[in-house]
Amino acid sequence: MVTHKFKVSRVFMYAFLVLLLLLSVVPFYLVIVNSTHSSFDIVTQLNLLPGDALAENYETMQSHVNIWRGFANSLLIAIPYTILTGYFGAFVAYGFAKFNFRWKNTLFVIVLASMMIPSQVTVIGFYQLCLKLKMLNSYWPFVLRGICNATTVFFLRGIISQSIPNSILEAARLEGCSEIGIFNKIVLPCIKPGVMTMCIFNFVSCWNNYMEPLIVMSDNDMYTMPVMIAMIKGLYLTNYGAMYLAIAISVIPIIIVFCFLSKYIINGLTVGSDK
């Protein structure tokens, strides 16, 4: 009887997992399928099989925007931004986790408070800062802000506190290793899963950023993918096939990042839990 109940519970568990899988995969599948159909087919019917309007949608998309230029622009911002958030976020988290200094708790509270402020609220201040620093219509404001990412600092601080004992750090200091050397050779390799996890989330967040590039950039050739996708939508007529095709192209880097780095997500969330 117990075995029968166990089998039934496993059936329901697997059915629930399959349902979650479908809910995750079906939207991506529909985006790809709709990118091969005309706007009329997309509006009037549910398309489950690929169509024959891919070439037409591509020509329409390219007539509105240079999507591959936007693709390259997004990569020029997202890749260095992700690298900076991973390294400097871990560096600051190491300082908060393993060093005692004046106003430490106050500064960390400020970091936590900054996470609770919606990005839309800070847009005006961000624009004024870029204006005063003469960084309008450039990629530097988006790349340099990777040096200070509050979410990364908060996440990695907990990992460093739990997974790296102070005795290892003291032994390295006794051997004459500098603090930078300790961070690069000991701390960073130990928290690699956590750093990779935050790099995934930061890459996706930067890649999907729409409002700030729209406000800071004034040259159409410097727009990122989200902005160019929005530009495909016309004032009186929207070509949904071209929009779906642009969305499908924009999703490619996100899928690649998840395929290569997704193994770090579980390790990054559980590192230090077995201490």
Side-chain angles (χ1 to χ4, degrees):
M1 186 67 179
V2 177
T3 304
H4 177 71
K5 290 182 178 180
F6 178 72
K7 290 182 178 180
V8 172
S9 63
R10 292 195 65 178
V11 169
F12 279 105
M13 181 183 67
Y14 284 119
F16 180 70
L17 292 177
V18 170
L19 177 62
L20 292 179
L21 177 64
L22 291 176
L23 292 176
S24 302
V25 173
V26 167
F28 291 99
Y29 176 76
L30 291 179
V31 167
I32 296 174
V33 170
N34 286 331
S35 66
T36 63
H37 285 271
S38 64
S39 293
F40 179 80
D41 292 338
I42 295 173
V43 173
T44 58
Q45 62 187 17
L46 177 62
N47 303 297
L48 298 178
L49 297 176
D52 56 357
L54 179 62
E56 179 183 353
N57 291 336
Y58 183 81
E59 292 179 0
T60 303
M61 177 187 66
Q62 287 293 88
S63 66
H64 285 80
V65 295
N66 187 352
I67 200 67
W68 296 112
R69 181 60 184 269
F71 190 92
N73 294 341
S74 292
L75 285 179
L76 286 174
I77 295 175
I79 291 177
Y81 172 83
T82 303
I83 295 174
L84 289 176
T85 56
Y87 183 83
F88 286 100
F91 192 76
V92 175
Y94 170 59
F96 276 117
K98 296 300 181 180
F99 288 88
N100 292 319
F101 51 90
R102 191 177 183 183
W103 309 110
K104 170 183 174 180
N105 294 331
T106 303
L107 291 175
F108 190 68
V109 169
I110 295 175
V111 172
L112 295 181
S114 66
M115 296 171 53
M116 304 176 186
I117 302 175
S119 58
Q120 294 83 356
V121 177
T122 62
V123 167
I124 297 177
F126 180 66
Y127 178 83
Q128 291 179 342
L129 179 63
C130 295
L131 179 62
K132 292 180 179 180
L133 295 178
K134 298 181 180 181
M135 289 186 178
L136 290 178
N137 201 35
S138 70
Y139 300 137
W140 287 111
F142 307 101
V143 173
L144 293 178
R145 49 188 310 190
I147 297 176
C148 51
N149 186 282
T151 304
T152 304
V153 172
F154 170 72
F155 181 77
L156 295 180
R157 174 184 176 273
I159 293 178
I160 294 174
S161 299
Q162 296 177 7
S163 61
I164 300 179
N166 294 328
S167 57
I168 295 179
L169 305 179
E170 293 297 334
R173 293 187 182 102
L174 290 176
E175 292 294 330
C177 188
S178 64
E179 294 299 334
I180 298 295
I182 292 174
F183 173 75
N184 291 329
K185 297 178 182 179
I186 299 176
V187 178
L188 200 58
C190 290
I191 62 171
K192 181 180 178 181
V195 173
M196 291 299 179
T197 300
M198 293 310 303
C199 283
I200 293 174
F201 295 139
N202 291 329
F203 179 87
V204 174
S205 175
C206 182
W207 185 267
N208 293 330
N209 189 8
Y210 168 75
M211 181 178 295
E212 292 172 351
L214 178 64
I215 294 175
V216 174
M217 304 295 184
S218 58
D219 187 355
N220 290 350
D221 290 335
M222 299 189 69
Y223 281 147
T224 56
M225 281 291 289
V227 180
M228 287 196 175
I229 292 174
M231 291 174 62
I232 298 175
K233 184 177 180 180
L235 182 60
Y236 301 105
L237 179 64
T238 300
N239 191 303
Y240 292 103
M243 287 193 67
Y244 273 111
L245 179 57
I247 294 172
I249 294 174
S250 70
V251 172
I252 292 175
I254 297 176
I255 295 177
I256 293 175
V257 168
F258 269 97
C259 288
F260 283 95
L261 300 180
S262 60
K263 64 180 180 179
Y264 292 106
I265 293 181
I266 301 299
N267 293 334
L269 296 176
T270 58
V271 63
S273 61
D274 57 345
K275 182 179 178 181

